[in-house]
Amino acid sequence: VDTGADSGVLTIVSGDPSSGTVAVPISGSGTGPAICACAIDGASCLTTTRVDFGIVDTGRSGSRTVRLVSCGTEPAALEEVVLEISLHPFATDPTLRITTPFPIGRLQPGTWSEGVITYTPEGGDSHTGGLRYSLGASEPRSWIALGGRAAQR
């Protein structure tokens, strides 16, 4: 979801092979509330749709701080930030948990909510999940994919 400027080309294909196609340039700007996700990496917050914990030793933990930024032109009412428990492909493995909850509420443009997700593999190979967030019942839900791999010690 973004509220910035976008552009593209709409290609219209004729049903008559001798007529060819027509390319129509289009552009516009979105407005309204929006949330953009990034993962903290040192002093930077890298835009992401997936948080990768990499390889973590079995019995050890790896944590990542995730920031949900109000990136729209209007305030965003962040109503929910949870681990998805049932919806495939984002059903979250129990090795992933939120260890610092995300504050919810009204976020002015440019402000954010931050939380920490921790991965503690107890065996196995790859573990996946999803962080679900929403701006309200009438707005679509969004997910950030989560993943990590267990290393056997």
Side-chain angles (χ1 to χ4, degrees):
V1 177
D2 84 45
T3 58
D6 292 296
S7 62
V9 176
L10 173 65
T11 304
I12 303 169
V13 180
S14 170
D16 180 355
S18 65
S19 296
T21 62
V22 175
V24 180
I26 56 175
S27 64
S29 290
T31 61
I35 294 289
C36 299
C38 60
I40 302 294
D41 184 15
S44 300
C45 196
L46 306 174
T47 301
T48 189
T49 58
R50 184 179 199 294
V51 175
D52 186 356
F53 291 86
I55 298 171
V56 177
D57 287 337
T58 301
R60 306 254 182 192
S61 294
S63 295
R64 300 286 183 269
T65 300
V66 175
R67 183 179 288 171
L68 300 175
V69 180
S70 176
C71 58
T73 59
E74 297 175 15
L78 186 62
E79 291 190 1
E80 170 187 62
V81 184
V82 297
L83 294 176
E84 179 62 61
I85 57 172
S86 61
L87 186 66
H88 181 73
F90 295 112
T92 302
D93 188 273
T95 60
L96 292 155
R97 66 191 192 290
I98 295 174
T99 50
T100 301
F102 293 78
I104 58 172
R106 189 173 179 85
L107 299 174
Q108 295 297 322
T111 64
W112 60 81
S113 173
E114 225 172 59
V116 177
I117 302 167
T118 300
Y119 171 53
T120 309
E122 297 172 1
D125 187 23
S126 294
H127 303 96
T128 59
L131 181 70
R132 181 179 77 211
Y133 60 94
S134 66
L135 298 180
S138 63
E139 298 292 326
R141 294 176 174 170
S142 298
W143 287 265
I144 301 168
L146 306 172
R149 293 179 312 283
Q152 303 300 322
R153 291 194 277 164

